[in-house]
Amino acid sequence: MPSLFSADARRAIAARLDRLAPDATPRWGRMNAPRMLAHLSDAMRMAMGDLLVKPKWLPLRYPPLKQLIIYWIPFPKGAPTAPEIFARKPDASEWASERRELDALIERCGSAPPEFTFAHHPLFGKLSRRAWGVLGYRPLDPPLAAARHGRGGQR
């Protein structure tokens, strides 16, 4: 499974984001492209501890279900998550600044030193560095994102 901690994976993500336009037709759900960038940025902020989110005490928090979802199975459509990472609703006029911010957050998160302590995930609780790398990468990868929403893994 690719990880956000791989420089090659981060370059591939940047290349895909370069092809995304603010008026792109949603292929990942109902969010438009600017809202998706804000959602991804806020998820990175959450991982780094910059955006505080309320924990949810669900069975997803415990092994082996936690590992299955992080590493193997697609996220179920409509799965619970932190509402705080859906709060911002930028529009196309904010595209350039949202894109710069997401690029910076991907790099900051992906190049965090090994001793950095990531925040607890609201659903999964305490995660290993490896789990955060995979979990940070998955929503940024279109085939994985499409698989989460029942569209297979086609590009």
Side-chain angles (χ1 to χ4, degrees):
M1 175 68 63
S3 170
L4 203 56
F5 299 124
S6 161
D8 289 340
R10 291 194 308 274
R11 280 191 290 277
I13 289 165
R16 285 193 295 268
L17 288 171
D18 282 342
R19 294 189 300 269
L20 186 61
D23 59 351
T25 302
R27 291 175 41 194
W28 48 79
R30 285 184 242 145
M31 273 190 266
N32 64 21
R35 284 194 65 198
M36 186 61 163
L37 289 186
H39 166 67
L40 294 169
S41 291
D42 287 345
M44 296 285 160
R45 285 186 187 93
M46 176 188 71
M48 301 299 288
D50 298 340
L51 177 64
L52 299 178
V53 297
K54 195 177 211 178
K56 295 181 183 277
W57 301 97
L58 302 171
L60 301 176
R61 187 174 275 289
Y62 306 102
L65 191 53
K66 174 165 74 169
Q67 284 78 9
L68 279 172
I69 293 172
I70 292 171
Y71 296 107
W72 298 103
I73 63 174
F75 298 147
K77 187 172 184 170
T81 191
E84 296 91 344
I85 64 173
F86 288 101
R88 292 189 309 123
K89 296 180 172 119
D91 60 27
S93 69
E94 299 170 84
W95 179 258
S97 63
E98 286 293 335
R99 176 58 206 284
R100 281 190 305 273
E101 184 68 18
L102 179 56
D103 286 343
L105 285 162
I106 290 169
E107 191 57 35
R108 180 176 162 224
C109 192
S111 61
E115 64 275 5
F116 181 79
T117 302
F118 286 89
H120 283 217
H121 191 278
L123 298 178
F124 301 118
K126 185 175 180 175
L127 295 175
S128 68
R129 178 179 173 79
R130 178 175 178 251
W132 265 120
V134 170
L135 201 55
Y137 177 85
R138 286 186 66 183
L140 294 162
D141 184 62
L144 288 173
R148 283 196 315 242
H149 295 288
R151 292 180 180 79
Q154 292 136 9
R155 289 184 190 251

